[in-house]
């Protein structure tokens, strides 16, 4: 089964998240970057399926040229092909992103001479969280999509997909070619091996220059939510604090 | 008269708690929209008719009940298509939902089908004559984005973030006029309808537990969680963890608290050996009280907690358990 995974490069902030002076992006001057967690799991799922059943895994990202780092990482954990749609680094709105990704997918499928049987997106990106790019792309391609997927079993001409709901799963059986929005927890992504790292350096980066018109959602300004003021009461510096802790548990009624 | 169409959720006739938020937000939005817009609600599928009264009580002037053999169980494409056809038939000015898993997915389907912009997870919305302004969440709530939405001649498509609005009863019920709606659904849409369900017994889940005792990298091993399990069970609570712990394979992802895990709201959150990265914090910040146990007095979790103990969790956690047992006479 040939699978395409669409991933996004995002900064990896720690205790605080800062915004640039112009309010247009996260201040990433001192931050590392990573692949959005849902997509990291989508990639792992694709690699596992390909290892088991054969087929190729292609990873596609739309982002700044630096997103090559995330594509090479993908190659280091098992992706066979990597494709970048370069942007100027500004945040593209969801409609613009979806149009460009669809075009990149159509071009890749034309070159392959066949459709990807499965396309995986993250359920939502870690940063902007628009909850829609995968759905828009699937619709443009005329393919089915279901989101919030935490289990995939490829079948013959279809995939069985489990969607997480309160206290269980809904089961979908979607005909291929299909698109799924995947959530973290579907698997535990592997770390790259030394051999994988070396192979990723040799992976051929394909670049697809595509632009698209801006959509109707426009970012005006990013800002941090107001800090919840907290006055931490230090109950102690060793295990003798246990008594004060249990007093509190008793007081708030969770000890009964 | 223009209308705001709010998409409500239910599971074969079981009302979703998110609907109370949806109607609360919709009443405000409709009041803020120009020219006295009317509040319409739509309920889709089996059992929807039984809930129409509740939608009316929540302020809906008109309750559309959409039915079709293909709408018995949830299917994102069939639901999205139904909302599109209703929105077009009623020429609504806006379609709104609460950004639950289904809410965001159905609105994304509507947006894709109508080729219109869709702004997800708003905190506040200021409707305007032409474009609308809103504040929405990024990073699962760690960052806010002021945005504008320009939909040309088409309806505005938006969701409010789940829990962004505090549900309140309507000051006065709406007229609640029930209108049946029969969409024309292409047979191909059956491809994304739920085939089966696998629902385990609920019990106390992480998201509803009154006490959550979490461990981070500081716990040091999978075995180290046994002490947290014991404390949690004494308190009728559940064990949670950080993503570092999930990635190390010490706990299952179902225990992960945070942006890409579960959002919790216990009476007290006991966070041990967790540094308090923003992506963890957004999942924990709805806790009524937080107790951090950490060797690092500078840890973000300590700074944001109500109470903290600056010590080794491997000493403090067993001491709490022992003290509870002593007081309970166990
Ligand atoms: C897009 C994105 C999404 C993410 N989503 C999530 C999410 O949903 N949930 C989540 O948790 N994280 C998430 N993360 C990861 C997050 O950024 C942090 O890496 C993670 O939360 C750190 O886990 P930790 O606190 O256990 O580990 P660390 O940051 O390593 O902290 C360990 C803490 O343990 C303390 N400690 C060590 N030993 C002891 C001891 N013996 N006794 C007491 N204290 C001790 C240390 O002082 C330190 O504060 C996400 C990251 C990204 C980029």
């Amino acid at each position: 089964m040939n699978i395409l995974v669409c991933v996004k490069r995002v900064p990896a902030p720690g205790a605080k998240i800062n915004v640039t002076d112009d309010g247009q992006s996260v201040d990433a001057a001192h931050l590392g970057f990573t692949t959005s967690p849902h997509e990291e799991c989508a990639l792992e799922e694709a690699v596992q399926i390909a290892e088991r059943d054969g087929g190729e895994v292609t990873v596609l990202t739309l982002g700044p040229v630096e997103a090559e780092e995330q594509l090479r990482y993908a190659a280091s954990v098992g992706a066979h092909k990597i494709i970048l749609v370069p942007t100027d680094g500004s945040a593209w709105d969801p409609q613009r992103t979806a149009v460009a990704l669809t075009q990149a997918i159509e071009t890749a499928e034309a070159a392959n001479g066949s459709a990807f049987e499965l396309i995986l997106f993250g359920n939502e990106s870690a940063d902007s969280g628009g909850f829609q790019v995968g759905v828009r792309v699937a619709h443009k391609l005329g393919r089915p999509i279901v989101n919030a997927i935490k289990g995939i079993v490829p079948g013959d001409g279809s995939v069985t997909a489990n969607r997480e709901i309160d206290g269980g799963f809904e089961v979908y059986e979607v005909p291929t070619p299909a698109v799924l929005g995947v959530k973290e927890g579907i698997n535990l992504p592997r770390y790259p091996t030394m051999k994988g790292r070396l192979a990723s350096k040799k992976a051929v980066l394909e670049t697809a220059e595509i632009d698209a018109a801006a959509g109707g959602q426009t970012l005006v300004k990013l800002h941090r939510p107001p800090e919840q003021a907290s006055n931490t009461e230090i109950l102690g510096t060793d295990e003798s604090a246990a008594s004060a802790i249990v007093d509190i548990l008793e007081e708030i009624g969770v000890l009964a | 008269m223009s209308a705001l169409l709010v998409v409500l959720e239910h599971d074969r006739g079981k009302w979703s708690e998110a609907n109370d938020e949806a109607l609360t937000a919709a009443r405000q939005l409709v009041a803020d929209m120009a020219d006295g817009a009317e509040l319409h609600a739509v309920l889709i599928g089996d059992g929807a008719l039984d809930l129409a009264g509740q939608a009316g009580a929540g302020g809906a002037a008109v309750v559309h009940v959409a039915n079709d053999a293909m709408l018995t169980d949830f299917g994102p494409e069939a639901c999205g298509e139904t909302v599109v056809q209703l929105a077009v038939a009623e020429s609504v000015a806006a379609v709104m939902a609460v950004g639950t898993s289904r809410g965001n997915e159905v609105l994304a389907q509507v947006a894709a089908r109508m080729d219109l912009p869709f702004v997800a997870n708003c905190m506040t919305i200021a409707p305007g004559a032409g474009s609308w302004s809103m504040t929405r969440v990024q990073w699962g709530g760690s960052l806010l984005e002021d945005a504008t939405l320009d939909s040309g001649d088409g309806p505005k498509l938006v969701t409010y973030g789940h829990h962004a609005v505090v549900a309140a009863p309507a000051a006065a019920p709406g007229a609640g006029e029930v209108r049946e709606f029969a969409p024309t659904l292409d047979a191909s849409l059956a491809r994304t309808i739920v085939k089966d369900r696998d629902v385990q017994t609920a019990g106390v889940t992480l998201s509803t537990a009154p006490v959550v005792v979490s461990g981070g990298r500081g716990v040091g091993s999978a075995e180290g969680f046994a002490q947290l399990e014991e404390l949690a069970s004494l308190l009728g609570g559940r064990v949670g963890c950080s993503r570092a712990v999930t990635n190390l394979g010490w706990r299952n992802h179902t225990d992960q608290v945070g942006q890409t895990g579960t959002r919790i709201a216990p009476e007290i959150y006991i966070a041990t050996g967790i540094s308090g990265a923003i992506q963890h914090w957004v999942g924990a910040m709805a806790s009524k009280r937080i107790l951090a146990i950490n060797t690092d007095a500078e840890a973000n979790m300590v700074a944001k907690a109500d109470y903290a103990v600056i010590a080794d969790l491997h000493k403090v956690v067993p001491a709490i358990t022992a003290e509870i047992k002593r007081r309970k006479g166990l």
Side-chain angles (χ1 to χ4, degrees):
Chain A
M1 176 175 259
N2 288 332
I3 307 176
L4 176 79
V5 186
C6 294
V7 306
K8 186 173 186 186
R9 169 185 168 91
V10 298
K16 271 217 165 71
I17 188 162
N18 291 313
V19 174
T20 52
D21 289 339
D22 64 4
Q24 294 301 298
S25 61
V26 168
D27 183 356
H30 305 288
L31 297 179
F33 285 81
T34 184
T35 302
S36 208
H38 296 315
E39 290 122 68
E40 212 178 298
C41 291
L43 172 60
E44 174 64 32
E45 195 66 16
V47 171
Q48 286 184 15
I49 293 170
E51 283 173 348
R52 207 170 47 229
D53 306 342
E56 260 185 0
V57 176
T58 304
V59 176
L60 167 64
T61 193
L62 181 146
V65 291
E66 291 84 0
E68 179 179 346
E69 178 192 349
Q70 279 60 49
L71 290 175
R72 299 240 172 246
Y73 184 87
S76 77
V77 291
H80 302 93
K81 288 187 184 165
I82 50 177
I83 309 173
L84 172 69
V85 178
T87 66
D88 58 0
S90 66
W92 283 24
D93 68 75
Q95 287 173 289
R96 186 179 180 192
T97 304
V99 168
L101 285 179
T102 304
Q103 206 180 314
I105 293 168
E106 284 168 343
T107 306
E109 291 187 335
N112 293 344
S114 63
F116 293 105
E117 287 165 273
L118 191 56
I119 299 178
L120 302 180
F121 281 85
N123 194 64
E124 83 278 357
S125 60
D127 53 354
S128 52
F131 286 84
Q132 58 190 280
V133 169
V135 175
R136 287 185 189 276
V137 170
H139 186 71
K140 285 181 199 297
L141 294 170
R143 296 181 199 169
I145 179 165
V146 182
N147 275 346
I149 296 306
K150 281 203 166 178
I152 301 174
V153 182
D156 196 12
S158 68
V159 288
T160 302
N162 286 349
R163 180 199 189 99
E164 188 182 38
I165 54 169
D166 246 2
F169 288 102
E170 283 174 348
V171 184
Y172 295 81
E173 202 178 300
V174 189
T176 51
V179 187
L180 297 172
V182 169
K183 284 187 93 168
E184 185 180 64
I186 188 171
N187 54 41
L188 190 56
R190 72 193 67 190
Y191 291 99
T193 58
M194 191 45 92
K195 189 162 153 259
R197 271 188 226 274
L198 290 174
S200 75
K201 297 212 173 85
K202 298 200 199 98
V204 179
L205 176 71
E206 281 178 51
T207 302
E209 301 273 353
I210 302 171
D211 203 353
Q217 176 180 342
T218 309
L219 185 155
V220 177
K221 190 162 75 64
L222 295 172
H223 50 100
R224 294 222 313 252
E227 294 262 337
Q228 284 164 286
S230 79
N231 247 330
T232 313
E233 183 185 339
I234 306 289
L235 300 174
T237 54
D238 60 25
E239 57 271 29
S240 66
S243 166
I245 293 170
V246 180
D247 286 348
I248 291 165
L249 297 175
E250 225 162 32
E251 197 181 297
I252 65 176
V254 295
L255 210 55
Chain B
M1 184 187 277
S2 70
L4 165 69
L5 179 64
V6 53
V7 181
L8 301 180
E9 277 185 51
H10 69 102
D11 195 32
R12 287 196 172 186
K14 187 167 171 281
W15 182 260
S16 158
E17 50 78 30
N19 292 343
D20 301 318
E21 278 174 46
L23 288 163
T24 305
R27 291 193 301 268
Q28 185 61 52
L29 190 55
V30 97
D32 292 343
M33 282 165 69
D35 67 18
E38 206 170 49
L39 176 51
H40 289 215
V42 58
L43 283 155
I44 298 170
D46 255 16
L49 193 57
D50 301 335
L51 303 175
Q54 234 167 311
V62 177
V63 185
H64 301 276
V65 174
N67 255 311
D68 183 277
M70 283 173 72
L71 297 172
T72 302
D73 271 318
F74 179 66
E77 291 183 297
C79 278
E81 180 60 26
T82 300
V83 174
V84 169
Q85 290 180 16
L86 179 60
V88 170
E90 296 283 332
S91 340
V92 301
V95 182
M96 187 220 102
V98 164
T100 58
S101 177
R102 283 187 183 182
N104 276 331
E105 185 168 19
V106 170
L107 265 281
Q109 279 288 346
V110 173
R113 280 157 200 281
M114 301 186 87
D115 200 15
L116 285 173
F118 155 47
V119 183
N121 293 341
C122 299
M123 303 288 293
T124 56
I125 299 178
S131 72
W132 286 15
S133 305
M134 56 269 296
T135 299
R136 63 181 297 272
V137 304
Q138 288 206 3
W139 287 96
S142 302
L143 202 59
L144 300 178
E145 172 190 351
D146 294 340
T148 56
L149 169 60
D150 181 352
S151 310
D153 296 329
K156 303 289 193 293
L157 307 176
V158 291
T159 58
Y160 278 88
H162 195 190
H163 305 310
V165 175
V166 179
E177 178 203 333
V178 177
R179 291 189 203 158
E180 306 237 1
F181 180 70
T184 310
L185 299 177
D186 190 276
S188 69
L189 297 179
R191 64 193 185 177
T192 52
I193 291 175
V194 175
K195 282 276 176 321
D196 204 356
R197 275 162 189 263
D198 178 7
V199 181
Q200 288 102 25
T201 44
V204 184
T205 65
L206 195 54
S207 59
T208 57
V211 178
V212 175
V213 183
S214 268
R217 196 193 302 273
V219 175
S221 66
E223 297 72 44
F225 276 85
Q227 56 191 325
L228 303 184
E229 286 284 1
E230 189 181 7
L231 177 56
S233 77
L234 271 176
L235 295 169
R238 285 286 309 264
V239 166
C241 71
S242 70
R243 182 162 178 255
V245 165
T246 318
N247 281 350
L248 285 160
W250 296 347
R251 301 292 293 188
N252 201 293
H253 182 270
T254 46
D255 290 348
Q256 182 176 314
V257 172
Q259 182 180 341
T260 51
T262 301
R263 281 150 194 270
I264 59 169
E267 290 296 317
I268 186 160
Y269 181 45
I270 305 181
T272 77
I274 293 179
S275 62
I278 50 158
Q279 303 92 351
H280 185 82
W281 174 252
V282 290
M285 65 187 182
S287 307
K288 292 231 177 68
R289 297 166 197 81
I290 296 178
L291 163 65
I293 302 175
N294 202 304
T295 42
D296 178 8
E298 305 296 318
N300 197 46
M301 203 73 217
V302 171
K304 287 186 162 167
D306 301 286
Y307 312 104
V309 179
I310 310 303
D312 184 350
L313 71 95
H314 296 97
K315 299 218 168 86
V316 181
V317 172
I320 304 170
T321 302
E323 177 64 13
I324 293 173
K325 284 184 171 169
R326 192 185 65 77
R327 292 198 199 180
K328 283 188 164 180
L330 294 172

